[in-house]
Amino acid sequence: MKWHGWSSPQCLARRVEQSLEAQARASHSYSSTSTSRCSHNIHRPCQPSFRRPFTHTPRRPARPPAEDPSFTSVLDNPPELVRTGRRHGPGLLVLAVIPVTAFALGTWQVQRLGWKTELVARFEDRIVREPLPLPPRVDPDAIHDFDYRRVRARGKYRHDREMLVGPRMRDGEQGYMVITPLEREGGEGSTVLVNRGWISKKHKSQRDRPDSLDTGEVVVEGLLREPWKKNMFTPDNRPDKGEFYFPDVKQMAELTGSQAVWIEQTMEPDLLQAIDMESKGIPIGRPAEVNLRNNHAQYIFTWYGLAIATSIMFYMVVKKPPTDISRRVRLNKEWS
């Protein structure tokens, strides 16, 4: 068997011997270098080595927690289920104010109901009495004590000073109230204003209703009423154009030279008479009754019902259980 090149056994053994000799020489040189270094540093003081410790935590002996006398388990102090975050916002304060306000308004309406009931009873007592002859001079300050009092007056209508107040609706038809001064025998200053009643819009002109223009002496029976009060939605009267939107008694009295006394003529025509009067343009007077609005009982039920409903809502909001999202566990503060 033939060996070629360095792969013969003799060559391989020679290379191994050379490698071992090189390692021996290298080891001898390293040991001599270390000895010389130590001989040079033998007179130097040894400096301490500052190494950073891995941890400063002192080691404690392993001891089971149950052997500690101060140990408290979860069974001794269980956690408490609470709601976290803001429990209620400012809306709860508003919800708390609503029932209190509604209850106060309902109580106020109870007082208003008593006052209105007494007022209507007093007016109805005046209506059932016999008509009172109207004196020539009437004190405007005393009209308040005779409001809704039936009176009787005699005189002649001044149709040349007639005024129409409107528009006013009656049975779905538009029209006007006819205001005519009544000139009495008491002399100058005894004239009063009479609300004769309602006429249709088509009879606005006096030429279209000649039957309504009485020229002789008439007897008027009606209710003595206080002057009307204008609300904020009613426009101002325009006497220069003959347009009156509400009965301003003082203004009308100055325009006609009469007393600031307002009488509403009363009548109770049947259906056929009312139709005949409307077709002829004769003013249809009002019935002798008290027409004051008295809806305070409805307001009482409304406000008290609102107070009860909002109180129930307030209770439900306060006592509402927490949702799954807002549930949190709070540890007992007595844990050691």
PDB file of all heavy atoms in Angstrom, residues 162-194:
ATOM      1  N   GLU A 162    -119.224 105.389  17.518  1.00  0.00           N
ATOM      2  CA  GLU A 162    -119.098 103.935  17.665  1.00  0.00           C
ATOM      3  C   GLU A 162    -117.667 103.482  17.365  1.00  0.00           C
ATOM      4  O   GLU A 162    -116.985 104.025  16.488  1.00  0.00           O
ATOM      5  CB  GLU A 162    -120.080 103.254  16.702  1.00  0.00           C
ATOM      6  CG  GLU A 162    -120.077 101.737  16.774  1.00  0.00           C
ATOM      7  CD  GLU A 162    -121.039 101.138  15.769  1.00  0.00           C
ATOM      8  OE1 GLU A 162    -120.615 100.918  14.603  1.00  0.00           O
ATOM      9  OE2 GLU A 162    -122.203 100.891  16.131  1.00  0.00           O
ATOM     10  N   MET A 163    -117.229 102.450  18.063  1.00  0.00           N
ATOM     11  CA  MET A 163    -115.889 101.869  17.887  1.00  0.00           C
ATOM     12  C   MET A 163    -116.022 100.345  17.785  1.00  0.00           C
ATOM     13  O   MET A 163    -116.840  99.741  18.483  1.00  0.00           O
ATOM     14  CB  MET A 163    -114.983 102.234  19.070  1.00  0.00           C
ATOM     15  CG  MET A 163    -114.672 103.718  19.166  1.00  0.00           C
ATOM     16  SD  MET A 163    -113.920 104.170  20.760  1.00  0.00           S
ATOM     17  CE  MET A 163    -115.332 104.001  21.861  1.00  0.00           C
ATOM     18  N   LEU A 164    -115.224  99.749  16.901  1.00  0.00           N
ATOM     19  CA  LEU A 164    -115.212  98.301  16.700  1.00  0.00           C
ATOM     20  C   LEU A 164    -113.884  97.741  17.194  1.00  0.00           C
ATOM     21  O   LEU A 164    -112.813  98.189  16.774  1.00  0.00           O
ATOM     22  CB  LEU A 164    -115.405  97.959  15.220  1.00  0.00           C
ATOM     23  CG  LEU A 164    -116.703  98.452  14.576  1.00  0.00           C
ATOM     24  CD1 LEU A 164    -116.745  98.059  13.103  1.00  0.00           C
ATOM     25  CD2 LEU A 164    -117.928  97.918  15.310  1.00  0.00           C
ATOM     26  N   VAL A 165    -113.964  96.763  18.081  1.00  0.00           N
ATOM     27  CA  VAL A 165    -112.784  96.124  18.653  1.00  0.00           C
ATOM     28  C   VAL A 165    -112.679  94.715  18.068  1.00  0.00           C
ATOM     29  O   VAL A 165    -113.625  93.932  18.142  1.00  0.00           O
ATOM     30  CB  VAL A 165    -112.864  96.068  20.194  1.00  0.00           C
ATOM     31  CG1 VAL A 165    -111.646  95.351  20.757  1.00  0.00           C
ATOM     32  CG2 VAL A 165    -112.995  97.459  20.769  1.00  0.00           C
ATOM     33  N   GLY A 166    -111.553  94.432  17.503  1.00  0.00           N
ATOM     34  CA  GLY A 166    -111.402  93.094  16.935  1.00  0.00           C
ATOM     35  C   GLY A 166    -110.118  92.923  16.162  1.00  0.00           C
ATOM     36  O   GLY A 166    -109.213  93.758  16.237  1.00  0.00           O
ATOM     37  N   PRO A 167    -110.027  91.802  15.496  1.00  0.00           N
ATOM     38  CA  PRO A 167    -111.098  90.818  15.244  1.00  0.00           C
ATOM     39  C   PRO A 167    -111.368  89.896  16.433  1.00  0.00           C
ATOM     40  O   PRO A 167    -110.483  89.624  17.219  1.00  0.00           O
ATOM     41  CB  PRO A 167    -110.558  90.025  14.058  1.00  0.00           C
ATOM     42  CG  PRO A 167    -109.078  90.112  14.176  1.00  0.00           C
ATOM     43  CD  PRO A 167    -108.787  91.452  14.771  1.00  0.00           C
ATOM     44  N   ARG A 168    -112.631  89.442  16.499  1.00  0.00           N
ATOM     45  CA  ARG A 168    -113.072  88.500  17.524  1.00  0.00           C
ATOM     46  C   ARG A 168    -113.812  87.353  16.844  1.00  0.00           C
ATOM     47  O   ARG A 168    -114.544  87.553  15.883  1.00  0.00           O
ATOM     48  CB  ARG A 168    -113.994  89.181  18.547  1.00  0.00           C
ATOM     49  CG  ARG A 168    -113.304  90.208  19.413  1.00  0.00           C
ATOM     50  CD  ARG A 168    -112.311  89.553  20.373  1.00  0.00           C
ATOM     51  NE  ARG A 168    -111.767  90.494  21.325  1.00  0.00           N
ATOM     52  CZ  ARG A 168    -110.713  91.262  21.126  1.00  0.00           C
ATOM     53  NH1 ARG A 168    -110.076  91.183  19.961  1.00  0.00           N
ATOM     54  NH2 ARG A 168    -110.277  92.091  22.044  1.00  0.00           N
ATOM     55  N   MET A 169    -113.582  86.130  17.375  1.00  0.00           N
ATOM     56  CA  MET A 169    -114.181  84.932  16.798  1.00  0.00           C
ATOM     57  C   MET A 169    -115.409  84.516  17.598  1.00  0.00           C
ATOM     58  O   MET A 169    -115.442  84.612  18.818  1.00  0.00           O
ATOM     59  CB  MET A 169    -113.170  83.791  16.766  1.00  0.00           C
ATOM     60  CG  MET A 169    -111.896  84.095  15.995  1.00  0.00           C
ATOM     61  SD  MET A 169    -112.170  84.409  14.247  1.00  0.00           S
ATOM     62  CE  MET A 169    -112.779  82.812  13.710  1.00  0.00           C
ATOM     63  N   ARG A 170    -116.431  84.047  16.863  1.00  0.00           N
ATOM     64  CA  ARG A 170    -117.637  83.494  17.483  1.00  0.00           C
ATOM     65  C   ARG A 170    -118.162  82.374  16.599  1.00  0.00           C
ATOM     66  O   ARG A 170    -118.524  82.610  15.448  1.00  0.00           O
ATOM     67  CB  ARG A 170    -118.707  84.566  17.669  1.00  0.00           C
ATOM     68  CG  ARG A 170    -119.972  84.047  18.362  1.00  0.00           C
ATOM     69  CD  ARG A 170    -120.993  85.139  18.556  1.00  0.00           C
ATOM     70  NE  ARG A 170    -122.172  84.668  19.264  1.00  0.00           N
ATOM     71  CZ  ARG A 170    -123.230  84.095  18.683  1.00  0.00           C
ATOM     72  NH1 ARG A 170    -123.235  83.932  17.364  1.00  0.00           N
ATOM     73  NH2 ARG A 170    -124.253  83.679  19.396  1.00  0.00           N
ATOM     74  N   ASP A 171    -118.157  81.157  17.151  1.00  0.00           N
ATOM     75  CA  ASP A 171    -118.599  79.976  16.398  1.00  0.00           C
ATOM     76  C   ASP A 171    -117.821  79.823  15.093  1.00  0.00           C
ATOM     77  O   ASP A 171    -118.376  79.467  14.042  1.00  0.00           O
ATOM     78  CB  ASP A 171    -120.110  80.047  16.117  1.00  0.00           C
ATOM     79  CG  ASP A 171    -120.938  80.013  17.377  1.00  0.00           C
ATOM     80  OD1 ASP A 171    -120.436  79.502  18.408  1.00  0.00           O
ATOM     81  OD2 ASP A 171    -122.091  80.505  17.350  1.00  0.00           O
ATOM     82  N   GLY A 172    -116.527  80.108  15.142  1.00  0.00           N
ATOM     83  CA  GLY A 172    -115.679  79.929  13.980  1.00  0.00           C
ATOM     84  C   GLY A 172    -115.764  81.023  12.939  1.00  0.00           C
ATOM     85  O   GLY A 172    -115.134  80.915  11.881  1.00  0.00           O
ATOM     86  N   GLU A 173    -116.503  82.088  13.213  1.00  0.00           N
ATOM     87  CA  GLU A 173    -116.639  83.187  12.241  1.00  0.00           C
ATOM     88  C   GLU A 173    -116.009  84.447  12.826  1.00  0.00           C
ATOM     89  O   GLU A 173    -116.129  84.734  14.009  1.00  0.00           O
ATOM     90  CB  GLU A 173    -118.116  83.448  11.915  1.00  0.00           C
ATOM     91  CG  GLU A 173    -118.313  84.471  10.806  1.00  0.00           C
ATOM     92  CD  GLU A 173    -119.771  84.615  10.411  1.00  0.00           C
ATOM     93  OE1 GLU A 173    -120.604  83.855  10.955  1.00  0.00           O
ATOM     94  OE2 GLU A 173    -120.077  85.488   9.574  1.00  0.00           O
ATOM     95  N   GLN A 174    -115.331  85.180  11.967  1.00  0.00           N
ATOM     96  CA  GLN A 174    -114.622  86.382  12.388  1.00  0.00           C
ATOM     97  C   GLN A 174    -115.573  87.569  12.438  1.00  0.00           C
ATOM     98  O   GLN A 174    -116.479  87.704  11.607  1.00  0.00           O
ATOM     99  CB  GLN A 174    -113.472  86.681  11.428  1.00  0.00           C
ATOM    100  CG  GLN A 174    -112.550  87.797  11.885  1.00  0.00           C
ATOM    101  CD  GLN A 174    -111.368  87.949  10.957  1.00  0.00           C
ATOM    102  OE1 GLN A 174    -111.194  87.166  10.030  1.00  0.00           O
ATOM    103  NE2 GLN A 174    -110.545  88.946  11.194  1.00  0.00           N
ATOM    104  N   GLY A 175    -115.363  88.431  13.430  1.00  0.00           N
ATOM    105  CA  GLY A 175    -116.221  89.609  13.565  1.00  0.00           C
ATOM    106  C   GLY A 175    -115.602  90.641  14.497  1.00  0.00           C
ATOM    107  O   GLY A 175    -114.385  90.635  14.743  1.00  0.00           O
ATOM    108  N   TYR A 176    -116.455  91.501  15.074  1.00  0.00           N
ATOM    109  CA  TYR A 176    -115.995  92.598  15.928  1.00  0.00           C
ATOM    110  C   TYR A 176    -116.958  92.772  17.089  1.00  0.00           C
ATOM    111  O   TYR A 176    -118.127  92.385  17.041  1.00  0.00           O
ATOM    112  CB  TYR A 176    -115.918  93.914  15.143  1.00  0.00           C
ATOM    113  CG  TYR A 176    -114.946  93.889  13.986  1.00  0.00           C
ATOM    114  CD1 TYR A 176    -115.384  93.526  12.710  1.00  0.00           C
ATOM    115  CD2 TYR A 176    -113.611  94.222  14.160  1.00  0.00           C
ATOM    116  CE1 TYR A 176    -114.498  93.499  11.643  1.00  0.00           C
ATOM    117  CE2 TYR A 176    -112.723  94.202  13.095  1.00  0.00           C
ATOM    118  CZ  TYR A 176    -113.179  93.835  11.845  1.00  0.00           C
ATOM    119  OH  TYR A 176    -112.299  93.811  10.786  1.00  0.00           O
ATOM    120  N   MET A 177    -116.425  93.391  18.156  1.00  0.00           N
ATOM    121  CA  MET A 177    -117.258  93.833  19.267  1.00  0.00           C
ATOM    122  C   MET A 177    -117.636  95.294  19.030  1.00  0.00           C
ATOM    123  O   MET A 177    -116.772  96.124  18.718  1.00  0.00           O
ATOM    124  CB  MET A 177    -116.521  93.698  20.604  1.00  0.00           C
ATOM    125  CG  MET A 177    -116.298  92.270  21.040  1.00  0.00           C
ATOM    126  SD  MET A 177    -115.731  92.145  22.778  1.00  0.00           S
ATOM    127  CE  MET A 177    -114.321  93.237  22.762  1.00  0.00           C
ATOM    128  N   VAL A 178    -118.919  95.596  19.197  1.00  0.00           N
ATOM    129  CA  VAL A 178    -119.429  96.949  18.956  1.00  0.00           C
ATOM    130  C   VAL A 178    -119.456  97.708  20.280  1.00  0.00           C
ATOM    131  O   VAL A 178    -120.160  97.315  21.223  1.00  0.00           O
ATOM    132  CB  VAL A 178    -120.833  96.907  18.319  1.00  0.00           C
ATOM    133  CG1 VAL A 178    -121.341  98.326  18.068  1.00  0.00           C
ATOM    134  CG2 VAL A 178    -120.805  96.106  17.023  1.00  0.00           C
ATOM    135  N   ILE A 179    -118.680  98.793  20.359  1.00  0.00           N
ATOM    136  CA  ILE A 179    -118.624  99.637  21.559  1.00  0.00           C
ATOM    137  C   ILE A 179    -119.267 100.970  21.209  1.00  0.00           C
ATOM    138  O   ILE A 179    -118.795 101.705  20.336  1.00  0.00           O
ATOM    139  CB  ILE A 179    -117.172  99.853  22.025  1.00  0.00           C
ATOM    140  CG1 ILE A 179    -116.394  98.525  22.044  1.00  0.00           C
ATOM    141  CG2 ILE A 179    -117.158 100.530  23.380  1.00  0.00           C
ATOM    142  CD1 ILE A 179    -116.972  97.472  22.942  1.00  0.00           C
ATOM    143  N   THR A 180    -120.361 101.270  21.932  1.00  0.00           N
ATOM    144  CA  THR A 180    -121.110 102.495  21.641  1.00  0.00           C
ATOM    145  C   THR A 180    -121.309 103.280  22.937  1.00  0.00           C
ATOM    146  O   THR A 180    -121.753 102.712  23.941  1.00  0.00           O
ATOM    147  CB  THR A 180    -122.486 102.164  21.025  1.00  0.00           C
ATOM    148  OG1 THR A 180    -122.303 101.289  19.905  1.00  0.00           O
ATOM    149  CG2 THR A 180    -123.194 103.424  20.569  1.00  0.00           C
ATOM    150  N   PRO A 181    -121.015 104.585  22.927  1.00  0.00           N
ATOM    151  CA  PRO A 181    -121.289 105.407  24.126  1.00  0.00           C
ATOM    152  C   PRO A 181    -122.795 105.552  24.343  1.00  0.00           C
ATOM    153  O   PRO A 181    -123.566 105.741  23.386  1.00  0.00           O
ATOM    154  CB  PRO A 181    -120.639 106.750  23.803  1.00  0.00           C
ATOM    155  CG  PRO A 181    -119.674 106.467  22.697  1.00  0.00           C
ATOM    156  CD  PRO A 181    -120.275 105.343  21.908  1.00  0.00           C
ATOM    157  N   LEU A 182    -123.218 105.448  25.610  1.00  0.00           N
ATOM    158  CA  LEU A 182    -124.619 105.626  25.981  1.00  0.00           C
ATOM    159  C   LEU A 182    -124.737 106.962  26.708  1.00  0.00           C
ATOM    160  O   LEU A 182    -124.216 107.141  27.803  1.00  0.00           O
ATOM    161  CB  LEU A 182    -125.086 104.478  26.884  1.00  0.00           C
ATOM    162  CG  LEU A 182    -126.545 104.539  27.335  1.00  0.00           C
ATOM    163  CD1 LEU A 182    -127.503 104.395  26.157  1.00  0.00           C
ATOM    164  CD2 LEU A 182    -126.829 103.452  28.384  1.00  0.00           C
ATOM    165  N   GLU A 183    -125.456 107.902  26.063  1.00  0.00           N
ATOM    166  CA  GLU A 183    -125.627 109.251  26.622  1.00  0.00           C
ATOM    167  C   GLU A 183    -126.889 109.259  27.481  1.00  0.00           C
ATOM    168  O   GLU A 183    -127.998 109.042  26.994  1.00  0.00           O
ATOM    169  CB  GLU A 183    -125.740 110.271  25.492  1.00  0.00           C
ATOM    170  CG  GLU A 183    -125.565 111.710  25.932  1.00  0.00           C
ATOM    171  CD  GLU A 183    -125.536 112.654  24.751  1.00  0.00           C
ATOM    172  OE1 GLU A 183    -126.536 112.644  23.981  1.00  0.00           O
ATOM    173  OE2 GLU A 183    -124.545 113.364  24.571  1.00  0.00           O
ATOM    174  N   ARG A 184    -126.720 109.548  28.767  1.00  0.00           N
ATOM    175  CA  ARG A 184    -127.839 109.482  29.705  1.00  0.00           C
ATOM    176  C   ARG A 184    -128.349 110.884  30.056  1.00  0.00           C
ATOM    177  O   ARG A 184    -127.763 111.903  29.664  1.00  0.00           O
ATOM    178  CB  ARG A 184    -127.407 108.736  30.968  1.00  0.00           C
ATOM    179  CG  ARG A 184    -126.968 107.294  30.678  1.00  0.00           C
ATOM    180  CD  ARG A 184    -126.682 106.537  31.955  1.00  0.00           C
ATOM    181  NE  ARG A 184    -125.519 107.088  32.673  1.00  0.00           N
ATOM    182  CZ  ARG A 184    -125.234 106.829  33.936  1.00  0.00           C
ATOM    183  NH1 ARG A 184    -126.047 106.038  34.638  1.00  0.00           N
ATOM    184  NH2 ARG A 184    -124.180 107.337  34.512  1.00  0.00           N
ATOM    185  N   GLU A 185    -129.431 110.894  30.838  1.00  0.00           N
ATOM    186  CA  GLU A 185    -130.086 112.154  31.167  1.00  0.00           C
ATOM    187  C   GLU A 185    -129.405 112.895  32.298  1.00  0.00           C
ATOM    188  O   GLU A 185    -129.833 113.994  32.649  1.00  0.00           O
ATOM    189  CB  GLU A 185    -131.562 111.902  31.538  1.00  0.00           C
ATOM    190  CG  GLU A 185    -132.387 111.286  30.416  1.00  0.00           C
ATOM    191  CD  GLU A 185    -133.810 111.024  30.845  1.00  0.00           C
ATOM    192  OE1 GLU A 185    -134.089 111.202  32.066  1.00  0.00           O
ATOM    193  OE2 GLU A 185    -134.642 110.648  30.006  1.00  0.00           O
ATOM    194  N   GLY A 186    -128.403 112.335  32.868  1.00  0.00           N
ATOM    195  CA  GLY A 186    -127.743 112.964  34.006  1.00  0.00           C
ATOM    196  C   GLY A 186    -126.965 114.210  33.648  1.00  0.00           C
ATOM    197  O   GLY A 186    -126.395 114.854  34.533  1.00  0.00           O
ATOM    198  N   GLY A 187    -126.894 114.538  32.390  1.00  0.00           N
ATOM    199  CA  GLY A 187    -126.165 115.725  31.983  1.00  0.00           C
ATOM    200  C   GLY A 187    -124.772 115.368  31.487  1.00  0.00           C
ATOM    201  O   GLY A 187    -124.421 114.193  31.273  1.00  0.00           O
ATOM    202  N   GLU A 188    -123.962 116.390  31.329  1.00  0.00           N
ATOM    203  CA  GLU A 188    -122.614 116.186  30.808  1.00  0.00           C
ATOM    204  C   GLU A 188    -121.774 115.390  31.810  1.00  0.00           C
ATOM    205  O   GLU A 188    -121.790 115.659  33.002  1.00  0.00           O
ATOM    206  CB  GLU A 188    -121.956 117.539  30.533  1.00  0.00           C
ATOM    207  CG  GLU A 188    -120.602 117.429  29.870  1.00  0.00           C
ATOM    208  CD  GLU A 188    -120.006 118.794  29.593  1.00  0.00           C
ATOM    209  OE1 GLU A 188    -120.670 119.810  29.897  1.00  0.00           O
ATOM    210  OE2 GLU A 188    -118.870 118.838  29.087  1.00  0.00           O
ATOM    211  N   GLY A 189    -121.051 114.399  31.262  1.00  0.00           N
ATOM    212  CA  GLY A 189    -120.211 113.564  32.109  1.00  0.00           C
ATOM    213  C   GLY A 189    -120.875 112.313  32.607  1.00  0.00           C
ATOM    214  O   GLY A 189    -120.251 111.543  33.346  1.00  0.00           O
ATOM    215  N   SER A 190    -122.136 112.068  32.229  1.00  0.00           N
ATOM    216  CA  SER A 190    -122.828 110.857  32.665  1.00  0.00           C
ATOM    217  C   SER A 190    -122.798 109.751  31.618  1.00  0.00           C
ATOM    218  O   SER A 190    -123.337 108.667  31.851  1.00  0.00           O
ATOM    219  CB  SER A 190    -124.288 111.180  33.019  1.00  0.00           C
ATOM    220  OG  SER A 190    -124.976 111.676  31.861  1.00  0.00           O
ATOM    221  N   THR A 191    -122.166 109.993  30.481  1.00  0.00           N
ATOM    222  CA  THR A 191    -122.094 109.006  29.410  1.00  0.00           C
ATOM    223  C   THR A 191    -121.174 107.852  29.825  1.00  0.00           C
ATOM    224  O   THR A 191    -120.118 108.056  30.430  1.00  0.00           O
ATOM    225  CB  THR A 191    -121.566 109.645  28.119  1.00  0.00           C
ATOM    226  OG1 THR A 191    -122.391 110.777  27.784  1.00  0.00           O
ATOM    227  CG2 THR A 191    -121.563 108.660  26.972  1.00  0.00           C
ATOM    228  N   VAL A 192    -121.575 106.629  29.472  1.00  0.00           N
ATOM    229  CA  VAL A 192    -120.783 105.436  29.772  1.00  0.00           C
ATOM    230  C   VAL A 192    -120.575 104.649  28.478  1.00  0.00           C
ATOM    231  O   VAL A 192    -121.278 104.862  27.487  1.00  0.00           O
ATOM    232  CB  VAL A 192    -121.466 104.556  30.838  1.00  0.00           C
ATOM    233  CG1 VAL A 192    -121.545 105.272  32.177  1.00  0.00           C
ATOM    234  CG2 VAL A 192    -122.862 104.123  30.367  1.00  0.00           C
ATOM    235  N   LEU A 193    -119.613 103.753  28.515  1.00  0.00           N
ATOM    236  CA  LEU A 193    -119.320 102.901  27.373  1.00  0.00           C
ATOM    237  C   LEU A 193    -120.043 101.570  27.509  1.00  0.00           C
ATOM    238  O   LEU A 193    -119.988 100.936  28.568  1.00  0.00           O
ATOM    239  CB  LEU A 193    -117.810 102.647  27.262  1.00  0.00           C
ATOM    240  CG  LEU A 193    -116.933 103.884  27.030  1.00  0.00           C
ATOM    241  CD1 LEU A 193    -115.466 103.504  27.078  1.00  0.00           C
ATOM    242  CD2 LEU A 193    -117.264 104.542  25.700  1.00  0.00           C
ATOM    243  N   VAL A 194    -120.701 101.142  26.421  1.00  0.00           N
ATOM    244  CA  VAL A 194    -121.469  99.901  26.430  1.00  0.00           C
ATOM    245  C   VAL A 194    -120.917  98.976  25.353  1.00  0.00           C
ATOM    246  O   VAL A 194    -120.815  99.354  24.178  1.00  0.00           O
ATOM    247  CB  VAL A 194    -122.970 100.171  26.189  1.00  0.00           C
ATOM    248  CG1 VAL A 194    -123.739  98.848  26.162  1.00  0.00           C
ATOM    249  CG2 VAL A 194    -123.534 101.100  27.250  1.00  0.00           C
TER     250      VAL A 194
END
